Amino acid sequence: MEDRTRVIEELSVEEREEILIDAALTLEDAANEALVEGDKQFAAFSNNMAEAIRIHADELARDDPESADKVLQQATEVISQFKASHPYRMISTAVH
């Protein structure tokens, strides 16, 4: 974990913030897919996590790279669990 934190610390503030925002976008995409599939609990959790990351991305990127790394690990774990339980991605979320 120390190696990952070092890598995060070596990135610029803008790069760390961009990574955090990308994680939030991925969580929102997973939430939308889960909502279409009927998993309201995961959708709410994922959306809340994405919103918290988005709100605090600047602060985490600028002031606390170690916490930013922990947040990214947690977001990655949530996304990995969703992908494991939903191995086949939806082609369209349109409801007819």
Side-chain angles (χ1 to χ4, degrees), residues 4-23 53 56-69 72:
R4 286 175 49 108
T5 304
R6 282 191 204 130
V7 171
I8 293 289
E9 289 174 351
E10 291 173 2
L11 296 174
S12 70
V13 172
E14 292 81 15
E15 290 171 327
R16 284 193 294 257
E17 186 173 5
E18 185 176 325
I19 290 170
L20 287 164
I21 296 299
D22 286 345
I53 290 172
H56 298 287
D58 181 51
E59 180 183 335
L60 285 168
R62 188 171 311 287
D63 299 333
D64 199 356
E66 188 174 324
S67 292
D69 183 50
L72 285 171

Side-chain angles (χ1 to χ4, degrees), residues 3-4 7 9-10 12 14 18 33-35 39 41 45 51 54-55 59 65 68 70 78 84 96:
D3 293 334
R4 286 175 49 108
V7 171
E9 289 174 351
E10 291 173 2
S12 70
E14 292 81 15
E18 185 176 325
E33 193 171 323
L35 191 59
D39 190 350
Q41 186 176 8
F45 175 77
E51 184 177 350
R54 192 181 297 276
I55 289 170
E59 180 183 335
K70 289 178 184 177
V78 169
H96 299 279

